[in-house]
Amino acid sequence: MSLDVTFLGTGAGFPCPSRGASALVLRRAGQCWLFDCGEGTQTQLMKSHLRAAKITKIFITHLHGDHIFGLPGLLCTLSLQRSPDASVVPIDIYGPLGLRSFLWRSLELSHSQPLLPYAVHELVPTQDQCPAGEFRDFSGLDRGEALAQAPPGTVLHLDAETDSYLLLEDEELSVRAFRLFHRVPSFGFVLEEKPRPGKLKVHILQELGVPPGPLYGELKRGRAVELSSGVRVQPRDVLSLPVPGRKVCVLGDCSGPVGPGARQLCGQADLLVHEATLEDGQQDTARQRGHSTPGQAARFALDCRAARLVLTHFSQRYRPDGDGRCDIGTLRTEAEAAMGGREVTLAEDFMTIEVPMKN
Amino acid sequence: MSLDVTFLGTGAGFPCPSRGASALVLRRAGQCWLFDCGEGTQTQLMKSHLRAAKITKIFITHLHGDHIFGLPGLLCTLSLQRSPDASVVPIDIYGPLGLRSFLWRSLELSHSQPLLPYAVHELVPTQDQCPAGEFRDFSGLDRGEALAQAPPGTVLHLDAETDSYLLLEDEELSVRAFRLFHRVPSFGFVLEEKPRPGKLKVHILQELGVPPGPLYGELKRGRAVELSSGVRVQPRDVLSLPVPGRKVCVLGDCSGPVGPGARQLCGQADLLVHEATLEDGQQDTARQRGHSTPGQAARFALDCRAARLVLTHFSQRYRPDGDGRCDIGTLRTEAEAAMGGREVTLAEDFMTIEVPMKN
Ligand SMILES: [Zn+2]
Ligand SMILES: [Zn+2]
Ligand SMILES: [Zn+2]
Ligand SMILES: [Zn+2]
């Protein structure tokens, strides 16, 4: 099963013709999941090889405009494109507390409550995710009448034990969020596939006299079976090793994680997408603005033992043709130096990165 | 003094790579005035020859997303670009009731109340500007605490005598709004320059013995003067005819005007910008959606005796390479036929149209 990530916007702060505002699409099993939705994302989608109508889930890292101002327009356009007869499975939208009010107000005031059903699941941040003076409590917005009309959804609190928020889990995968420190509360998301059971070793099954049929399925599901001969067969005897799942981590703007959970959650990530807004020499400015440098991102990737680091969310001052100063290549050089020479990728708009299956 | 209009987005409903969502800039006397601000307008501005920092006034025709979803992002970017030392003249934003709440909520929830001061002047629509069931009263939003924090501004009611809203007036010009019928209340805007006084006929002044200096200014301002000889000189004796000002009309989405004032306000417009979302054959659909066809736009232009008609806000289905159906050229053909063969312009993104001075 293929899994890939396509960047639709890789610039910080605001969209430019050369780099859109933050957005990326993770594609897996025929579904597209959108991470952040800066202004212009719907146009970037049209320019890409992806189809907006395939979007079934949206994850928002934080409420800064360069990550959310494209969301009302995208929902309107999706609802124009969907015929009323089409599937009524709502789009699930995950993001910080306040997102539901933002969407509801924007759509209400523009007279464009979409036909498209959607649900907003809000993550309640902790106060230590931003500078003390900047924390805003959005829990009281749109109570009463307004709340009743607003889209459905849930409110998710931090699970102290895992230091994370469990957003969804099924037989194949789980998605968790974890806390980041930024000017405003920010989150990272971890998609983790569950291990796939190993393959049946058919020649051993035949030797043991297991008849093809339901017993194969039982063994594949990890259950021991007893043959009519009275012989008991254990799954480990007839299965090759389970195939580990893949792990993709997408972090929002941050100067670093909050709490002990992030490094473990992102441990052995196959793909880690981390912001690097400013170069190492601007580290003080970066920290003050709640951002990271390539060196910081690389050290986090090393801590997590991530297999591949992709940097994004570059200040719009960086250019491919930078004249020594503000050359985008500087960011790669710094990250690769901090990784001991390992290759680091700088995201570009419309770049697609595959995450191969493991064997 | 030059006056021109540049289209930044000429598509209906949503932005596409080939046609952005609604926005145009009127440039005069070193200032840029923005009319509508669909998603992506700030990126379109960067691609154009215009400078976003020159925007001093913004006019919003109606609250549909394809006309306002770019506004929060534009204000954020403008405030990032302006140094705190820069002029603190607020940007005046004019638009329908509800606009202030939309902006305030978007900026509040995205933690991005801009440093840039702005004021929102809201036009109170009348209930006959949209289908009866669709009218929403936004006058009660954000009262109390929220209102106190919201940006300053005024609330403007219809002046029954002129059937219009006076938005601003100074020595050089006035801007008025008038009512349009659409799925939601919509407005048109009329910029009208006042006549410039005629030129002084210097040879006659000399013949009459008027000494160069302050008396010249008095006469130019239309006041009679008395010379030391006792001779009284009337302005009409020494001034050529006043030069009429120019008039530019920008209409929002509509299936037509509401009330008797529009045709008079737009009378003899030098430039009339009118929507033409669908072709004449789709007139029923257009009317049902509150939109116009080229034929309707042309008849309104004829009624107003407008000198030049420019059509915009085309359904994204129309293409330059349309195969007979959905050819953008059809829209021009239909409009020109209804104008008795007179030339009609179809707006394109980044097209600039000059409105020459009169002599
Ligand atoms: Zn950002
Ligand atoms: Zn941010
Ligand atoms: Zn429109
Ligand atoms: Zn409209």
Side-chain angles (χ1 to χ4, degrees):
Chain A
M1 179 182 297
S2 76
L3 193 172
D4 61 34
V5 164
T6 300
F7 291 86
L8 295 176
T10 57
F14 51 87
C16 276
S18 53
R19 289 191 187 274
S22 289
L24 70 80
V25 169
L26 185 150
R27 200 161 48 151
R28 183 184 178 280
Q31 290 186 31
C32 288
W33 293 2
L34 177 65
F35 290 76
D36 282 335
C37 189
E39 183 179 348
T41 296
Q42 60 173 310
T43 316
Q44 296 288 88
L45 269 166
M46 286 181 214
K47 288 187 191 171
S48 79
H49 60 285
L50 302 168
R51 286 185 48 213
K54 296 274 187 191
I55 293 174
T56 54
K57 296 186 193 298
I58 299 174
F59 301 86
I60 300 295
T61 61
H62 67 296
L63 297 180
H64 272 156
D66 57 326
H67 300 253
I68 63 168
F69 282 165
L71 193 47
L74 177 68
L75 291 180
C76 289
T77 301
L78 285 177
S79 63
L80 283 177
Q81 288 172 349
R82 287 213 185 172
S83 72
D85 315 325
S87 138
V88 288
V89 178
I91 292 188
D92 285 303
I93 305 173
Y94 302 85
L97 195 66
L99 183 59
R100 190 162 170 242
S101 174
F102 167 73
L103 273 178
W104 182 70
R105 275 300 177 104
S106 296
L107 296 172
E108 183 71 8
L109 286 165
S110 62
H111 305 257
S112 50
Q113 287 300 350
L115 298 169
L116 179 81
Y118 68 97
V120 183
H121 308 287
E122 294 180 305
L123 307 176
V124 180
T126 57
Q127 300 219 4
D128 51 354
Q129 287 182 252
C130 68
E134 313 256 327
F135 189 84
R136 309 289 297 275
D137 182 5
F138 290 141
S139 59
L141 285 174
D142 293 332
R143 293 274 158 227
E145 184 198 5
L147 193 70
Q149 300 163 29
T154 52
V155 174
L156 302 165
H157 292 270
L158 180 71
D159 172 37
E161 201 166 320
T162 59
D163 193 27
S164 71
Y165 305 71
L166 180 63
L167 308 190
L168 59 101
E169 181 161 31
D170 62 20
E171 287 184 357
E172 291 193 359
L173 55 80
S174 67
V175 178
R176 287 189 164 76
F178 60 95
R179 296 175 298 155
L180 298 170
F181 190 87
H182 186 44
R183 296 297 300 183
V184 305
S186 182
F187 294 92
F189 298 102
V190 179
L191 163 78
E192 187 169 9
E193 291 177 332
K194 295 184 176 173
R196 283 176 303 130
K199 289 200 174 121
L200 288 172
K201 297 173 180 170
V202 178
H203 62 285
I204 296 184
L205 288 164
Q206 286 168 343
E207 279 172 24
L208 292 170
V210 183
L215 293 184
Y216 276 39
E218 287 292 294
L219 286 162
K220 177 118 188 165
R221 270 176 231 112
R223 297 186 201 127
V225 299
E226 197 171 298
L227 306 183
S228 53
S229 62
V231 172
R232 206 173 159 78
V233 180
Q234 294 293 339
R236 65 174 173 272
D237 301 332
V238 297
L239 286 173
S240 57
L241 288 175
V243 180
R246 293 163 287 190
K247 186 187 278 189
V248 176
C249 306
V250 179
L251 278 68
D253 294 4
C254 68
S255 56
V258 171
R263 281 177 181 76
Q264 170 134 21
L265 279 166
C266 298
Q268 259 92 32
D270 297 279
L271 182 65
L272 179 74
V273 179
H274 198 295
E275 71 127 300
T277 307
L278 294 170
E279 67 204 77
D280 287 345
Q282 304 278 322
Q283 191 168 341
D284 290 345
T285 309
R287 181 176 293 123
Q288 190 197 325
R289 297 184 186 163
H291 287 301
S292 297
T293 66
Q296 284 175 272
R299 284 186 290 278
F300 182 76
L302 286 176
D303 280 356
C304 300
R305 300 176 180 277
R308 182 164 185 186
L309 172 64
V310 181
L311 301 180
T312 187
H313 196 270
F314 309 119
S315 165
Q316 299 281 11
R317 76 175 67 161
Y318 295 104
R319 300 275 164 187
D321 53 356
D323 55 346
R325 297 183 63 228
C326 298
D327 189 317
I328 189 84
T330 305
L331 304 178
R332 190 207 317 273
T333 309
E334 291 177 346
E336 292 184 344
M339 296 280 279
R342 276 174 54 199
E343 192 186 345
V344 173
T345 304
L346 302 189
E348 297 287 335
D349 290 12
F350 308 115
M351 175 188 275
T352 295
I353 293 176
E354 283 191 47
V355 183
M357 294 261 274
K358 293 172 179 170
N359 298 309
Chain B
M1 180 182 300
S2 76
L3 193 173
D4 61 34
V5 164
T6 300
F7 291 85
L8 295 175
T10 58
F14 50 88
C16 276
S18 53
R19 290 191 187 274
S22 288
L24 70 78
V25 169
L26 185 150
R27 198 161 49 150
R28 184 184 177 279
Q31 290 185 33
C32 288
W33 293 0
L34 177 64
F35 291 76
D36 283 336
C37 190
E39 182 179 349
T41 296
Q42 60 172 313
T43 315
Q44 296 288 87
L45 269 166
M46 286 181 213
K47 289 187 191 171
S48 79
H49 60 285
L50 303 168
R51 286 186 47 213
K54 296 275 185 190
I55 294 173
T56 54
K57 296 185 193 299
I58 299 173
F59 301 86
I60 300 295
T61 61
H62 67 297
L63 298 181
H64 273 156
D66 57 325
H67 300 254
I68 63 169
F69 283 165
L71 193 46
L74 178 68
L75 291 179
C76 288
T77 301
L78 285 177
S79 63
L80 283 177
Q81 288 171 349
R82 287 212 187 174
S83 70
D85 315 325
S87 136
V88 289
V89 177
I91 293 189
D92 284 304
I93 305 174
Y94 302 85
L97 195 66
L99 183 59
R100 189 163 170 243
S101 174
F102 166 72
L103 273 179
W104 182 70
R105 273 300 176 105
S106 296
L107 296 172
E108 183 72 8
L109 286 166
S110 62
H111 305 256
S112 50
Q113 287 300 351
L115 299 169
L116 179 81
Y118 68 97
V120 182
H121 309 287
E122 292 180 306
L123 307 176
V124 180
T126 57
Q127 300 219 4
D128 52 355
Q129 286 180 252
C130 69
E134 314 255 328
F135 189 84
R136 308 288 298 272
D137 181 5
F138 290 140
S139 60
L141 286 175
D142 294 332
R143 293 273 158 228
E145 185 199 4
L147 194 70
Q149 301 163 27
T154 53
V155 174
L156 301 165
H157 291 270
L158 181 71
D159 172 37
E161 201 165 321
T162 60
D163 193 27
S164 70
Y165 305 72
L166 180 63
L167 308 191
L168 59 103
E169 181 161 30
D170 62 20
E171 288 183 358
E172 292 193 359
L173 56 81
S174 68
V175 178
R176 286 188 165 76
F178 60 96
R179 296 174 297 155
L180 298 170
F181 190 89
H182 186 43
R183 295 296 302 183
V184 306
S186 181
F187 295 92
F189 299 103
V190 179
L191 162 79
E192 187 169 8
E193 290 178 332
K194 296 184 176 172
R196 283 177 303 128
K199 290 204 173 116
L200 288 172
K201 298 174 179 168
V202 178
H203 62 282
I204 298 185
L205 289 164
Q206 286 168 344
E207 278 171 24
L208 293 170
V210 183
L215 294 183
Y216 275 38
E218 288 291 294
L219 286 161
K220 178 118 190 164
R221 270 175 231 111
R223 298 186 199 124
V225 300
E226 198 171 298
L227 306 183
S228 51
S229 62
V231 172
R232 204 170 161 79
V233 181
Q234 294 294 338
R236 63 174 174 273
D237 302 332
V238 298
L239 285 174
S240 58
L241 288 175
V243 181
R246 293 162 288 189
K247 186 187 279 190
V248 177
C249 306
V250 180
L251 278 69
D253 293 4
C254 68
S255 55
V258 171
R263 282 177 180 77
Q264 171 134 23
L265 280 166
C266 298
Q268 261 92 30
D270 297 281
L271 180 65
L272 179 74
V273 179
H274 199 294
E275 71 127 298
T277 306
L278 294 169
E279 66 204 77
D280 287 346
Q282 304 278 321
Q283 191 168 339
D284 290 345
T285 309
R287 181 177 295 123
Q288 189 197 327
R289 297 186 187 162
H291 288 302
S292 297
T293 66
Q296 283 175 273
R299 286 187 289 278
F300 182 78
L302 286 175
D303 281 356
C304 300
R305 300 175 180 280
R308 182 165 186 185
L309 172 62
V310 180
L311 302 180
T312 186
H313 197 270
F314 309 119
S315 165
Q316 299 282 9
R317 75 174 69 161
Y318 295 105
R319 300 275 164 187
D321 53 357
D323 55 346
R325 297 183 64 229
C326 299
D327 189 317
I328 189 86
T330 306
L331 303 178
R332 189 206 319 270
T333 308
E334 292 177 345
E336 293 184 344
M339 295 280 280
R342 275 173 54 199
E343 192 186 345
V344 172
T345 304
L346 303 190
E348 297 287 334
D349 290 11
F350 309 114
M351 174 188 275
T352 295
I353 293 176
E354 282 191 48
V355 184
M357 294 261 274
K358 294 172 178 170
N359 299 311

